[in-house]
Amino acid sequence: MIDASVSTWEELREAWKGGRAAVLAFGAQEEHGPHCPLATDTVMAAGLALRLAEALDAVLLPPVPYGETWSTSGYPGTISLSPDTVRRILLDIGESVREQGATALVVVNGHFGNRAPLELACRELVSARGLPALVVDYPGLEEVAREVCTSRPAAPGFYHADEVETSIMLALAPAQVHMDRAVAEYPVFPPTFGAEPLRLHTFCASGVFGDPRAADAGKGRHMLEALAERSLVLVREFLRAAAGQGKGE
């Protein structure tokens, strides 16, 4: 693996000659309750991206620490990009690594609001720039969470500042987690949740969706490794197909 954030330009020049893929974590700066840092989504995405880059011997790019976080922008400290800005950032990064010789771009998405613009950008990178691009979005997280977590999620497949995210943060950055401040909250979701744009602070006082109090680092490590294994299955198949297309197969 080559970590681009601590490498020189000459080291990267040699790395790209080896026909490597690039791995990029795309995070967010948004609230995660009174106990987890605003950079939680970035830390988590970067943790998974590191594991993928190591397994693939890829070039690990510095993470993008901002995302589309309009829904949580009512909480101080949250900084939101527009969907088009997210899309353009990924397009520019993709174009840069393509020009340098990257064989493909793997994006680890750490935040729900980034999904649509990242997928659109990947479509453009493939169709207009000729760069194979894939978004990895914690595949199988719901099943993985059920294996170790004891608290119920606030909604099916909805994990935010709860036992899942807090456990992963305890595994990755324990000094940034304040378990003495952890509180549980199960807000009542409006009937139109998921069907219209809603700002979460209007119905959730703490910014916690679920119960983080049962979180621990062991659960976090288990989930990280399981997510890495599942992600690698997808990424390796993606890279295999991309290599075949490059050879005209």
Side-chain angles (χ1 to χ4, degrees), residues 58-77:
V59 172
L60 179 66
L61 301 175
V64 178
Y66 298 103
E68 194 285 296
T69 56
W70 176 86
S71 64
T72 52
S73 58
Y75 301 94

Side-chain angles (χ1 to χ4, degrees), residues 1-99:
M1 182 197 80
I2 303 297
D3 186 344
S5 67
V6 296
S7 299
T8 67
W9 73 268
E10 292 179 322
E11 290 168 337
L12 261 294
R13 179 184 59 189
E14 296 305 308
W16 292 128
K17 288 180 181 179
R20 287 181 168 88
V23 178
L24 172 70
F26 214 110
Q29 174 80 359
E30 70 160 1
E31 71 79 22
H32 276 80
H35 65 292
C36 279
L38 291 153
T40 289
D41 288 343
T42 305
V43 173
M44 289 175 52
L48 181 54
L50 173 62
R51 284 159 173 77
L52 298 185
E54 288 176 335
L56 299 167
D57 193 23
V59 172
L60 179 66
L61 301 175
V64 178
Y66 298 103
E68 194 285 296
T69 56
W70 176 86
S71 64
T72 52
S73 58
Y75 301 94
T78 297
I79 297 175
S80 184
L81 304 179
S82 71
D84 194 53
T85 298
V86 171
R87 169 185 154 271
R88 288 177 177 273
I89 287 173
L90 186 57
L91 281 176
D92 286 351
I93 292 173
E95 178 63 15
S96 290
V97 297
R98 184 195 68 79
E99 289 180 346

Side-chain angles (χ1 to χ4, degrees), residues 66-222:
Y66 298 103
E68 194 285 296
T69 56
W70 176 86
S71 64
T72 52
S73 58
Y75 301 94
T78 297
I79 297 175
S80 184
L81 304 179
S82 71
D84 194 53
T85 298
V86 171
R87 169 185 154 271
R88 288 177 177 273
I89 287 173
L90 186 57
L91 281 176
D92 286 351
I93 292 173
E95 178 63 15
S96 290
V97 297
R98 184 195 68 79
E99 289 180 346
Q100 294 175 34
T103 58
L105 176 61
V106 176
V107 184
V108 177
N109 177 32
H111 176 67
F112 179 83
N114 296 337
R115 284 183 180 178
L118 290 181
E119 289 172 0
L120 182 57
C122 284
R123 186 192 309 173
E124 293 182 55
L125 286 171
V126 172
S127 61
R129 317 293 173 90
L131 177 70
L134 173 75
V135 177
V136 176
D137 207 341
Y138 301 143
L141 176 57
E142 193 167 358
E143 180 181 345
V144 169
R146 282 199 301 266
E147 292 175 358
V148 293
C149 293
T150 57
S151 64
R152 63 181 176 88
F158 191 98
Y159 307 105
H160 185 80
D162 62 341
E163 184 180 359
V164 172
E165 290 197 325
T166 304
S167 292
I168 294 175
M169 284 299 294
L170 285 170
L172 290 172
Q176 299 176 21
V177 181
H178 308 280
M179 289 304 295
D180 57 319
R181 306 178 196 170
V183 296
E185 184 170 354
Y186 285 88
V188 176
F189 288 81
T192 56
F193 182 78
E196 69 164 326
L198 291 170
R199 301 181 80 190
L200 302 186
H201 75 282
T202 60
F203 59 91
C204 182
S206 68
V208 173
F209 289 76
D211 189 348
R213 294 173 297 178
D216 69 56
K219 295 175 182 177
R221 285 190 291 270
H222 174 89

